[in-house]
Each structure stands twice: as C-alpha cells, then as structure tokens.
Amino acid sequence: MSSSSSSTVHAFLGDELLTQETRDLISSLPKEKGWLGSEMYQFQGYWHTQALLQGLLTCQKRFEAKDSDIILVTSPKSGTTWLKALVFSLVNRHKFPVPSSGNHPLLFTNPHLLLPFLEGVYYKTPEFDFTGLPIPRLMNTHIAHRSLPESVKSSSCKIVYCCRNPKDMFVSFWHFGKTLAREETTDAEFPIEKAVEAFCKGKSMSGPLWDHILEYWYASREDPNKVFFVTYEELKKQPGVVLGRIAEFLGCGFTDEEIVQGKVEEIVNLCSFESLSNLEVNRQGKLPNGTESKAFFRKGETGGWRDTLSESLAAEIDRTIEEKFHGSGLKFSS
Ligand code: A3P
C-alpha cells in the first residue's frame, strides 16, 4: 500500500481505535470481504466496516437528539457533500448571507467539515460533545432507519434523506475507491464484475442499498413532517424547487421577498458542482483524515454510469433494483 493512499484508506477502514466490546461483537457477526478488500460486518441487517460499526454502536448508546436537530441521511456516494452544502447554506443564510463579501464558510471549508458525520466522529472521538454545536444542530449519517438512535425517532428532530440512481451511486463509489487507493483497486485486485455481484447481493458499505432507501421511503410516506425524501436526480433537475421544499420542511421557508431577491438561486449556485469543485479548498485541500477534498467531486452528473458499466453489468443492477423496488412506488430516473 502506498503511503499516500494508506492514510486515506486507513481513515475509512482503521481498527486501531476498536474497543474490546466491538472486537467481541464483531467476532460473532457475519463477515465478508468488502470494500478495498477490507472486512465488512453485518449488523442489524446492514454491512459496515469495523470503524464505522464502532461509530454506529457508540452513536446508538450516546447520541441524544434534540427536537430542533436536523439530520441529513444518505448512502455513501449519493449526494452527501452536496446536501451538506445546501442545507448548511440554507439554515445559516441569515448568519452567512449568500453571496457574501467573500467570507462564506463554504468558500474556505469542505462541506464535510461544516457538519459532523455522526458515526465517523463517534469512532474517532467517542466522548465528542454534540451539545456544543450551534442550534439547530446539523449532522449527517449513513445509518439505516432501523438502526438510528432511539431519540432520533422519538424526538421531533427532522431527517432529510437523499438517495441516487443505484447505477450512478455504484459507479461513483467504484471511482471513489480507485481515487483513494489506486493500488488496491486495480482490475486484477478488484474486478468490477465482482463488485457488481456483491452490490447486487446487498454486500456494499451501508448496504443493502435497497433496504436503506426503502426504509426511509416508507418512513417519509408515514410521516412526511419527520422525513423528507429526495433523489439526487430530482435535485439536479430542479435544485431551486427542491431547496424551497426542504426549507419549508425545516420550518425556514423562503419569504416572498427572498424569492424575488433571488436568494434561492444564490444558494443553489454557491453549492453547485461547478462552484464547489472549482474552489481552491476543494481542489487542493485535504480533510483531517487525509482524504483529498477533490475525491468528493468527480463528475456530478446523472446517468454517468454509462461510461463505466458494460451493458450486461448495468442490466444486472437493473434486474436487482427492479425486483427489490417492485411495488414500492419508487422509481429512479437516469
Ligand atoms: P460522481 O462520482 O458521480 O461524480 P457523496 O457526496 O455522497 O460522497 O457523493 C459524491 C458524488 O456526488 C460524486 O458523484 C460527486 O461528484 C457528486 N457531487 C459532489 N458535490 C456535488 C454538487 N455540489 N452537485 C452535484 N453533485 C455533487
């Protein structure tokens, strides 16, 4: 493993902070070779790296939701970075007006550093004090609905869930792995056919993807005031409209005056792929765990899977998705 990739991969797959409790639990869980050749463990029906599993366990034990909290939920590579930027800018639009005189936090900070990633923070710093965050607290997670800490469900906190066309999500993840660890992801080490096969069996990080999506889909239908459900494709098509809906959902809708002043478009433009990916901080910067910021900005398109997936691999994913989403009423555009 090269030294440049090892620190980054380590951030996602590390085990040096594992407690004895986690090691004991892990030893009893179903195990699979997973992302970048690491072990993944199945807990409460979902596949996790050991680091993020420990973060999840600590989160379940320690996190106390407040009614005013806003929790952004995604599967990895489904638009997390974008959603973080949008909701941060939306909720803080009076504190940090857009456009600003060049001092908006997004201009200098990767969106991942503006909102804590619950299970990531709990893995690195189990004692982290979330009570110190500004209110409303903004946080993100990949935790499945069934595994959320009890207080998230029982409080009035709000959940914004974003998912993505599974083929694009898979392809995005595939390239993300290659960016982080070129040597571990050569075609010989990590053939795409095997990755698609595992994905279609539900064996991907935070997978099965369909269960992850459907749990939040049904939760949003059951209680639309609690869970806002949106797809990456809808956001791409009508970012201003969706942002307006998210604002209403969060109780901070845009006023008529703001709409006339173009405040919605200003946030959409600031958070666009073109804008964020061209900022120095995201072109050159690194997250504290060593991941290069630019790894989170690849193409930012819908339907880009066509460049990576052969017809037969695309058909394999399509068959799985059709079967798993059958009868749910949920359709993905591509
Ligand atoms: P691609 O790999 O298809 O380009 P996540 O943020 O969940 O890790 O997802 C990363 C995906 O979102 C990548 O997709 C990335 O390019 C895309 N992305 C990042 N920022 C974006 C933005 N502001 N607008 C649209 N897509 C964005």
Side-chain angles (χ1 to χ4, degrees):
M1 194 181 280
S2 74
S3 59
S4 65
S5 67
S6 64
S7 65
T8 297
V9 173
H10 202 63
F12 290 90
L13 308 177
D15 66 357
E16 83 278 19
L17 299 176
L18 288 192
T19 61
Q20 194 53 46
E21 196 184 350
T22 308
R23 290 181 199 277
D24 291 345
L25 172 72
I26 274 177
S27 67
S28 68
L29 294 177
K31 178 166 101 170
E32 279 285 336
K33 270 266 177 254
W35 192 52
L36 304 183
S38 70
E39 307 293 349
M40 285 195 308
Y41 297 88
Q42 194 182 33
F43 177 70
Q44 297 181 338
Y46 288 88
W47 292 96
H48 305 276
T49 64
Q50 48 195 3
L52 293 183
L53 174 57
Q54 176 159 301
L56 160 63
L57 295 170
T58 309
C59 184
Q60 287 182 332
K61 262 192 228 142
R62 298 183 63 101
F63 183 71
E64 280 301 325
K66 292 181 198 281
D67 288 340
S68 54
D69 285 347
I70 298 172
I71 303 183
L72 311 182
V73 189
T74 53
S75 276
K77 315 323 289 175
S78 297
T80 319
T81 315
W82 191 13
L83 191 63
K84 285 175 117 171
L86 283 169
V87 175
F88 177 88
S89 307
L90 171 71
V91 169
N92 290 299
R93 67 189 189 272
H94 301 301
K95 193 167 162 195
F96 303 120
V98 182
S100 54
S101 50
N103 60 3
H104 193 281
L106 269 176
L107 299 176
F108 305 102
T109 320
N110 178 286
H112 289 280
L113 300 179
L114 292 175
L115 280 73
F117 169 42
L118 283 173
E119 54 272 43
V121 170
Y122 274 126
Y123 171 63
K124 280 279 172 217
T125 320
E127 310 298 325
F128 187 85
D129 184 9
F130 281 87
T131 58
L133 296 182
I135 308 268
R137 300 187 303 180
L138 301 179
M139 292 151 285
N140 87 290
T141 182
H142 297 317
I143 297 176
H145 190 265
R146 77 175 71 152
S147 298
L148 286 171
E150 213 32 61
S151 62
V152 172
K153 296 182 193 172
S154 58
S155 70
S156 303
C157 76
K158 301 269 192 184
I159 294 172
V160 180
Y161 184 78
C162 182
C163 63
R164 185 177 192 188
N165 176 304
K167 293 197 291 289
D168 276 338
M169 179 257 159
F170 171 86
V171 164
S172 183
F173 211 153
W174 172 253
H175 288 290
F176 188 61
K178 285 192 172 293
T179 308
L180 296 189
R182 198 172 298 279
E183 290 160 30
E184 293 81 354
T185 56
T186 58
D187 289 347
E189 291 280 336
F190 198 54
I192 194 164
E193 291 76 13
K194 273 213 158 10
V196 168
E197 191 187 331
F199 180 73
C200 290
K201 287 183 178 155
K203 293 171 183 172
S204 57
M205 241 167 104
S206 303
L209 177 68
W210 44 89
D211 286 341
H212 202 277
I213 296 175
L214 285 172
E215 284 182 15
Y216 283 100
W217 168 248
Y218 289 123
S220 76
R221 298 182 117 195
E222 204 168 291
D223 190 354
N225 291 320
K226 174 79 179 177
V227 181
F228 184 94
F229 186 100
V230 70
T231 65
Y232 181 96
E233 292 72 31
E234 286 164 345
L235 256 176
K236 264 308 225 197
K237 204 166 172 192
Q238 295 192 299
V241 173
V242 174
L243 187 65
R245 288 191 195 134
I246 295 177
E248 291 292 334
F249 169 76
L250 295 178
C252 60
F254 289 96
T255 62
D256 291 345
E257 197 185 354
E258 285 182 299
I259 291 170
V260 171
Q261 288 171 344
K263 294 294 171 198
V264 183
E265 286 74 23
E266 283 171 3
I267 293 178
V268 165
N269 292 339
L270 173 68
C271 299
S272 71
F273 181 85
E274 291 66 32
S275 152
L276 293 185
S277 63
N278 281 310
L279 291 170
E280 182 73 6
V281 65
N282 296 324
R283 285 195 300 128
Q284 308 287 354
K286 282 190 178 184
L287 303 193
N289 68 18
T291 312
E292 289 185 306
S293 292
K294 66 180 181 207
F296 293 95
F297 302 93
R298 193 180 60 96
K299 286 189 166 178
E301 291 169 359
T302 54
W305 56 265
R306 291 180 177 84
D307 297 343
T308 302
L309 291 177
S310 65
E311 268 184 36
S312 65
L313 290 179
E316 195 174 334
I317 298 182
D318 280 343
R319 272 195 302 278
T320 306
I321 294 306
E322 250 166 57
E323 180 202 321
K324 301 295 182 186
F325 286 88
H326 182 75
S328 67
L330 181 57
K331 289 246 177 291
F332 291 97
S333 59
S334 61

